[in-house]
Amino acid sequence: MSGLTTIAVRAARSAGDFLLRTGERLHELRIEQKGPNDFVSDADREAERRIVEIIHRSYPDHAILGEEGGAQGDSTARWIIDPLDGTTNYLHAFPWFAVSIALEIQGRLEVGVIYDPTRNELFVAERGQGARLDDRRLRVSQHGKLAGAMIGTGFPFKSVDHLDAYTETFKAVSREGCAVRRAGSAALDLAYVAAGRFDGFWELGLEKWDIAAGVLLIQEAGGAVTDIRGGDRFMASGNVVGGNLRVHQALLDTIKSHLGDDLRA
């Protein structure tokens, strides 16, 4: 494990352990609403502060893009952080949330770490070195078609802009005879694709911090990630399709056939 990855793991574990301890006194948290169905708490902010502190202790010149703190610094090395992906779940004591940390160097993802503190599961990817869950090498599933597949997704709950387009894709995918699951953390959904627990995943309107670490995990586990047109603009658009190679293609074909031309990739 590289020094950069070691720091990402240390930061993710620190934030995750803090979230578990804080979760025992949720009634004390101060909660604010950032937008429709979009909340932030003291726990989110403190978890991100701890992550940034650990990173900057070793790499003080690196830039940060965090969900809560926004963009900080100017460097070719940038950490992309979601300190608590699944805030609404967390605030309801629903045990499906994660810490997501990725490192991008000169625009290319190099490290991805997703930590699920409730299960003590640590998903780690390094470019060219594969993906691992704790000490086990990860590979995407071998399921070959949408029928019978388990597919993760997320509803566009923060904005109605994508609702009509998403609804059409949801109906189309559901008709293919697969099981569709929506649990509320895109980061964990993507990690589950890398681990072969989900065969595929799609969602519209995500942010960079939602997907950066999970994208690298899937790629390093032998899977594919594209935008909804089959291109590579998923980090810019937030519209993501991922899976093992065959399910990804089948999912992509189904989604593309039910999208209007006005929705960006």
Side-chain angles (χ1 to χ4, degrees):
M1 187 182 296
S2 72
L4 290 162
T5 305
T6 298
I7 293 301
V9 167
R10 185 181 304 161
R13 285 197 180 278
S14 175
D17 293 346
F18 164 77
L19 291 171
L20 278 186
R21 294 193 304 272
T22 305
E24 297 174 358
R25 48 184 179 82
L26 290 174
H27 62 283
E28 298 178 8
L29 288 178
R30 182 167 53 92
I31 302 167
E32 298 175 16
Q33 188 166 358
K34 297 191 290 185
N37 298 312
D38 189 10
F39 298 92
V40 62
S41 72
D42 293 336
D44 301 67
R45 294 192 177 101
E46 177 60 18
E48 185 169 307
R49 188 198 67 78
R50 290 171 181 242
I51 292 168
V52 173
E53 180 181 54
I54 290 171
I55 291 170
H56 276 169
R57 198 180 299 152
S58 296
Y59 303 103
D61 296 329
H62 284 193
I64 301 290
L65 177 62
E67 178 174 10
E68 308 311 333
Q72 307 171 41
D74 182 16
S75 170
T76 57
R78 180 175 71 163
W79 297 84
I80 304 173
I81 301 165
D82 192 338
L84 174 50
D85 188 57
T87 297
T88 300
N89 286 350
Y90 178 77
L91 295 175
H92 286 79
F94 185 78
W96 186 264
F97 57 88
V99 180
S100 179
I101 302 174
L103 173 63
E104 183 183 70
I105 299 178
Q106 294 183 336
R108 189 172 79 160
L109 293 169
E110 297 290 345
V111 175
V113 173
I114 294 173
Y115 180 48
D116 176 354
T118 65
R119 296 167 186 80
N120 192 26
E121 290 192 326
L122 182 71
F123 302 85
V124 178
E126 295 177 284
R127 179 166 294 281
Q129 301 299 314
R132 306 189 75 83
L133 169 54
D134 299 321
D135 294 326
R136 179 171 64 86
R137 181 73 176 255
L138 292 183
R139 297 298 297 175
V140 293
S141 78
Q142 297 301 306
H143 193 81
K145 54 186 179 180
L146 281 182
M150 178 83 85
I151 305 295
T153 191
F155 307 141
F157 63 94
K158 294 181 183 178
S159 171
V160 298
D161 293 346
H162 296 310
L163 186 57
D164 290 341
Y166 174 80
T167 301
E168 291 304 311
T169 64
F170 181 85
K171 290 190 292 186
V173 173
S174 298
R175 291 189 186 110
E176 294 296 320
C178 54
V180 181
R181 299 289 183 266
R182 195 275 183 181
S185 168
L188 267 184
D189 291 342
L190 292 166
Y192 272 39
V193 173
R197 297 171 180 176
F198 281 151
D199 302 299
F201 172 84
W202 94 101
E203 190 167 348
L204 308 181
L206 292 167
E207 300 288 350
K208 292 179 176 65
W209 46 76
D210 297 318
I211 62 177
V215 163
L216 187 62
L217 276 161
I218 293 174
Q219 292 172 338
E220 289 295 320
V225 182
T226 65
D227 58 39
I228 54 176
R229 305 292 183 188
D232 61 1
R233 296 192 66 256
F234 46 86
M235 290 289 283
S237 69
N239 301 328
V240 180
V241 182
N244 74 49
L245 298 182
R246 288 176 291 181
V247 169
H248 168 268
Q249 190 60 56
L251 188 57
L252 182 63
D253 290 343
T254 301
I255 290 169
K256 285 198 299 183
S257 67
H258 288 79
L259 285 175
D261 294 334
D262 57 335
L263 184 63
R264 62 179 183 153

